[in-house]
Amino acid sequence: MNLDTEHSASRTFERGLVLANFAQAGVLLLAFGALTTAVLWPEFGRGGIAIAAVAAVAIVLLVTRIPPATMMQLYGARPYQAGDLAQFENITSELARRAGLRSPPRLYVVPSMSVSAFSFGSSRSFATAVTEGLLRRLTMREVAALLAREAAHAKRGDLLVLGIADFIARCAQAFYYAGLALAALNILRGVSGSDPVPWASVLLLILAPTLMTALQLALSRTREMDADRAAALLTGDPLGVASAVSRLDASPGKPLEDLIPPVPARKVPLPSMLRFAPPAERRIALLNALQAPPMPPLDIAEGPRISLIGVGPIEMRPRYRWPGVWF
């Protein structure tokens, strides 16, 4: 492969939807700020605007400042020990080189039998988590394809908006529980004759996850298809990416169920980061129609489908972790 071909492939990612990502992040933050202001207005008036603005700025700082390793701890992910499978080091290093990233991601393993992968961080430094189920059920060719998708997300700047969406979703879940607590408090105050917390604020708190989920559904869903195409360019193997997409776990239930309270009770074995992807059939069809990329395929040797962290329980069903994290 000559340098012109490699640089051309790298520039494909640099033409990603950077402005769209910033716009979507802004929409999410404005919506979250408006919701927070509406909740606080009866009690604080214009002061609620200042509180909402501080909360939005705090979310941005958390997303951009918290180390990816800390976020991985929230999801119970365990760091992959270097040397356990040297092939993973070679694959992630080569993908990072092809994508033009400064360094490969730090790999983590989530003790779940679901089949999924996700990342936190930025193009400068990010971490990628894969589930135990992915490592046991997928071929190395398919695993490499999913790692390429995560590298593409990082290069295209997707991780910023995805991280903001995840934090807002967690805050909305906290609002939901606060709304339930205040509703119970209002009932008690009604019995005692005390003044209740404004019911409008209580209702908004309870509906917060539904409203934020509706907004995520309304945002662009082309991001995953863009990542699929980018992964095909990185690996030089669109059919391998299509095979990996066909093996991914779909979000349980239907989008409508994500709009019906109690949204925090939905058993979603993924971070809530704009996870509403187009149907797998559509993504696979587009990948199958993609012409062979100029990038040569990765050098991959198939081997036993073993775990990076040892053999654990036969079944590891999704289970709840605070605050609203299922895996």
Side-chain angles (χ1 to χ4, degrees):
M1 179 180 59
N2 58 47
L3 290 177
D4 290 340
T5 299
E6 182 174 328
H7 292 162
S8 177
S10 179
R11 285 194 296 269
T12 299
F13 305 104
E14 296 175 1
R15 293 195 297 267
L17 306 177
V18 176
L19 292 178
N21 281 334
F22 277 109
Q24 289 191 5
V27 169
L28 286 168
L29 290 169
L30 285 174
F32 176 76
L35 175 64
T36 304
T37 299
V39 169
L40 298 176
W41 187 269
E43 186 69 25
F44 297 96
R46 294 182 179 179
I49 299 177
I51 296 174
V54 170
V57 171
I59 288 176
V60 174
L61 291 176
L62 287 171
V63 172
T64 56
R65 300 298 182 184
I66 290 183
T70 302
M71 292 302 301
M72 288 299 174
Q73 291 178 0
L74 174 65
Y75 289 92
R78 308 175 188 177
Y80 150 69
Q81 298 299 320
D84 287 351
L85 286 178
Q87 185 169 199
F88 274 82
E89 297 175 354
N90 297 334
I91 290 173
T92 54
S93 296
E94 176 62 15
L95 289 173
R97 186 187 69 81
R98 292 185 177 190
L101 295 168
R102 292 189 176 184
S103 61
R106 178 76 186 275
L107 287 179
Y108 289 78
V109 181
V110 179
S112 169
M113 288 309 291
S114 63
V115 179
S116 60
F118 56 89
S119 297
F120 289 105
S122 66
S123 60
R124 295 184 176 183
S125 176
F126 70 105
T128 295
V130 295
T131 61
E132 186 90 9
L134 181 148
L135 296 174
R136 296 190 187 191
R137 298 176 187 174
L138 271 60
T139 64
M140 285 298 300
R141 179 190 183 191
E142 293 167 336
V143 172
L146 296 183
L147 291 175
R149 292 186 77 259
E150 298 305 314
H153 277 311
K155 182 61 179 179
R156 294 168 63 86
D158 292 343
L159 298 186
L160 171 65
V161 65
L162 296 179
I164 288 175
D166 188 49
F167 266 93
I168 288 178
R170 302 306 164 203
C171 290
Q173 290 170 354
F175 284 2
Y176 172 83
Y177 293 119
L180 292 182
L182 290 176
L185 178 62
N186 275 355
I187 293 174
L188 293 176
R189 286 186 172 185
V191 173
S192 63
S194 303
D195 293 334
V197 177
W199 278 105
S201 297
V202 173
L203 182 61
L204 282 174
L205 287 171
I206 293 175
L207 292 178
T210 300
L211 296 174
M212 292 297 101
T213 298
L215 177 60
Q216 291 192 23
L217 282 170
L219 293 176
S220 173
R221 297 174 64 185
T222 63
R223 180 179 285 103
E224 294 306 310
M225 291 190 293
D226 290 339
D228 292 340
R229 182 176 180 276
L233 291 171
L234 278 177
T235 59
D237 183 17
L239 295 182
V241 179
S243 178
V245 168
S246 69
R247 304 287 297 278
L248 284 173
D249 283 343
S251 176
K254 299 179 180 180
L256 180 61
E257 297 177 5
D258 288 288
L259 301 177
I260 302 174
V263 175
R266 297 274 289 115
K267 297 183 179 180
V268 180
L270 285 171
S272 176
M273 302 187 301
L274 296 177
R275 57 182 174 76
F276 306 103
E281 294 79 9
R282 181 182 174 190
R283 296 165 63 187
I284 292 170
L286 291 175
L287 286 166
N288 288 336
L290 187 66
Q291 294 182 352
M295 197 75 74
L298 295 169
D299 184 13
I300 298 174
E302 294 293 345
R305 300 180 191 179
I306 62 175
S307 166
L308 295 179
I309 58 174
V311 178
I314 295 176
E315 289 192 5
M316 286 176 273
R317 301 183 184 278
R319 56 197 182 278
Y320 183 82
R321 286 178 61 88
W322 185 91
V325 179
W326 285 87
F327 68 82

